[in-house]
Amino acid sequence: VNVITLTTDFGTSDWFVGTMKGVMLKIHPRARIVDLTHEIAPGNIRAGAFALAASAPYFPNGTVHVAVVDPGVGGARRAIAIRTRRYVFIGPDNGVLSLAAANEEVRSVRVLQNEGLFLKHISRTFHGRDIFAPVAAHLSQGTGFRKLGARAGSYVQVDWPQPFVDADGVRGEVVYLDRFGNAITNIPADAVPAGDRVEVWMKRTQVGTLESSYESVPAGAPVAVVGSTGFVEVAVNTGSAARVLALKPGDPIRVRTGA
Amino acid sequence: VNVITLTTDFGTSDWFVGTMKGVMLKIHPRARIVDLTHEIAPGNIRAGAFALAASAPYFPNGTVHVAVVDPGVGGARRAIAIRTRRYVFIGPDNGVLSLAAANEEVRSVRVLQNEGLFLKHISRTFHGRDIFAPVAAHLSQGTGFRKLGARAGSYVQVDWPQPFVDADGVRGEVVYLDRFGNAITNIPADAVPAGDRVEVWMKRTQVGTLESSYESVPAGAPVAVVGSTGFVEVAVNTGSAARVLALKPGDPIRVRTGA
Amino acid sequence: VNVITLTTDFGTSDWFVGTMKGVMLKIHPRARIVDLTHEIAPGNIRAGAFALAASAPYFPNGTVHVAVVDPGVGGARRAIAIRTRRYVFIGPDNGVLSLAAANEEVRSVRVLQNEGLFLKHISRTFHGRDIFAPVAAHLSQGTGFRKLGARAGSYVQVDWPQPFVDADGVRGEVVYLDRFGNAITNIPADAVPAGDRVEVWMKRTQVGTLESSYESVPAGAPVAVVGSTGFVEVAVNTGSAARVLALKPGDPIRVRTGA
């Protein structure tokens, strides 16, 4: 389908992302390149993995997803590609691909070794341009997955906090703060039974029960909902939970379901 | 023509916009998706309406314009589409579409009710992905406008300050501060006669007459011009009027034309 | 090839860039428009010139590169187009195109004078929309280069600091700080012989020798490498050299090669 997505920590203030697109269009003039985001905090592999996993499943079959959050560029880490039933994921083997791949049926994993698919001159600091972009373009254009390099065996999993279930309910933590200041947690919706007996605590604030929308509470009040990624999320109606509740990644959430 | 534009307050630091594009490309692989802006301040319906109205008329006939500034998502507000002679506008019925529609010949307005055009699972917090994106893609691909839902009758108009004309001239206010710190006002150029007798006052600063370009005054000096959207605009040559004159939306401007 | 790139200081918080894309798609519906960056600091011609020069060579032959960093818009500066063997560059004649053009074989330079290729109404403040975008679209679609206007003769060169070579080594300065806080200097890699005897000083900090990657030093330590643009670059492994060493454009770097 010619669709290639990009998820990076490159920002958009420099020419890095644009240059990757030039490289891809030179190889594959019909590529349709879509930015997921380039504003992952520099080197934040977990945030990159989460963003990719949240977005990738909405793309058409055959999409090539490239993720470059790569603090170890030029060092010993491998570059890999993961082929699943629906997609190909390409990036450094540091965990940034692992959450998205976990949503899919993985078929094959290869190490990017075939230098014939890279740019001729490989810099030490910009593999997005020199390796990941051209390999993605070649794959999107039809180059066989086996041509990338040797099988990779396993690949690095991102460090991801698991929620903890006990008789009293579920304990988890904030994993992502979005642009609106909503706090996305690691507690999946299906771990929480519906009903008025549910009580959500974010740090020391009792947020109430799980509501159906932000507007279920007055403006300025905190509210817990099932967010669009399928996880419990704490927001403030027409405000920022991150600011009002002074939240940061890692802050504890407790969902009490006992009574 | 397959062109779909997006205007949102989603920012670009998360995966929201990219996900909408995935949804659209899955439905309509030949869609050409253009970002107008995603940096509307969260929930600022008037700024979203202004940005859309300033940009939409420059697009080819047949373009589908999507605007999602939607503080009431998941609540009672309707989702609508407005078909004009040249375009379709899609978004929440909260006024964000109204300025752009006012520039066009409106033919029909419908409520988005046909769930067959939505994603299967509708979240409570991300209708951009679940409703607006898929409906836009279906329309751009050729789905008939009538299939969206019932006629909407009227739709919400954005709250917009009208300039006030008297014998002395025109009084208005700042409606938008752009990236350069230029202050766009609600006074249309054709409300102001040309000539040296025009005197522009921004708050308590006498800015001078209407000049033809920023460079008509020395660097660092304030200057009033007819801006690119057709409204009187106050700038500072090679500087920021917002900063130098400490401007914010709502600040008063007076254009004296009497003498 | 229908590819048009955009480099501007317009930011992405307003509708400026989106509007330029509408204008281009109306003229040339098959244009493939790629953003290099829109976050050049307002009016910073040198940064715009550097970004364009760093990215342009990676694009396919036939690409039309548009750069609008244009503090003199509406004033006396000319608008020009530079045709090279591989590309066309379009923008104000203030130096923003000159570094990129210097990388290519220049064939012809013309002044943008043919108003038949502009929008009908030319504002005084937004030539990106009214002149540069439509001219780029016409050229990308096949309009002959000679139709733009008269030959331009010479064109403005950006003010660019030259590195200074003496028996002791090379002296240069910081020309660009990127999103990661890496300091790109004006010292080309080929001006520095490899080897342990090279000693890099950034302001009063001895950075060490030229390393092959950021990871060659401990996390938090400064490191000098050959950056992806081919210039000597000072970074901090997993950190920001701009912050740690308090760097700004113009700060001096010395590379000692004598011993």
Side-chain angles (χ1 to χ4, degrees), chain A residues 218-244:
Chain A
V223 56
V225 298
V226 173
S228 62
T229 51
F231 292 95
V232 173
E233 190 175 307
V234 172
V236 160
N237 185 16
T238 70
S240 163
R243 206 155 38 217
V244 171

Side-chain angles (χ1 to χ4, degrees), chain C:
Chain C
V1 299
N2 300 327
V3 178
I4 301 173
T5 78
L6 301 178
T7 303
T8 77
D9 61 355
F10 292 167
T12 54
S13 56
D14 307 303
W15 56 86
F16 306 140
V17 173
T19 306
M20 288 178 68
K21 293 178 182 174
V23 168
M24 292 190 282
L25 290 170
K26 202 166 184 172
I27 293 165
H28 183 19
R30 298 171 60 83
R32 305 176 75 85
I33 305 164
V34 177
D35 302 304
L36 295 191
T37 177
H38 301 290
E39 303 298 337
I40 301 299
N44 190 336
I45 294 167
R46 190 194 281 180
F50 190 76
L52 180 63
S55 189
Y58 290 88
F59 278 79
N61 288 8
T63 295
V64 175
H65 295 288
V66 181
V68 191
V69 180
D70 194 11
V73 62
R77 64 101 188 96
R78 303 185 303 179
I80 59 168
I82 303 173
R83 187 165 65 81
T84 70
R85 189 175 65 79
R86 302 196 295 169
Y87 306 123
V88 173
F89 297 94
I90 298 179
D93 184 22
N94 60 16
V96 72
L97 307 177
S98 63
L99 293 181
N103 290 335
E104 308 290 331
E105 297 171 29
V106 175
R107 296 282 163 85
S108 175
V109 187
R110 299 254 171 194
V111 183
L112 307 191
Q113 293 168 320
N114 181 350
E115 295 180 11
L117 303 176
F118 302 170
L119 289 198
K120 272 183 199 161
H121 176 75
I122 307 297
S123 71
R124 291 293 192 147
T125 59
F126 193 4
H127 289 186
R129 177 191 69 189
D130 305 331
I131 295 177
F132 298 117
V135 168
H138 283 295
L139 280 177
S140 179
Q141 204 185 33
T143 295
F145 192 76
R146 294 178 195 182
K147 294 197 176 153
L148 299 185
R151 287 182 187 283
S154 67
Y155 53 95
V156 175
Q157 301 296 314
V158 75
D159 178 42
W160 185 257
Q162 292 300 325
F164 180 77
V165 182
D166 61 18
D168 199 42
V170 194
R171 290 156 197 272
E173 64 182 70
V174 174
V175 289
Y176 194 97
L177 293 163
D178 75 16
R179 125 103 158 179
F180 297 96
N182 300 324
I184 301 173
T185 75
N186 62 339
I187 300 180
D190 55 20
V192 184
D196 283 347
R197 286 181 160 173
V198 169
E199 224 179 71
V200 177
W201 290 77
M202 176 61 84
K203 292 200 300 187
R204 289 180 200 166
T205 304
Q206 187 179 349
V207 178
T209 186
L210 266 189
E211 302 287 352
S212 61
S213 80
Y214 302 141
E215 287 199 323
S216 302
V217 301
V223 56
V225 299
V226 174
S228 62
T229 50
F231 292 94
V232 172
E233 189 176 308
V234 171
V236 160
N237 185 17
T238 70
S240 162
R243 205 155 39 219
V244 170
L245 304 177
L247 300 179
K248 56 182 194 312
D251 279 345
I253 181 173
R254 196 180 351 158
V255 180
R256 300 183 60 160
T257 56

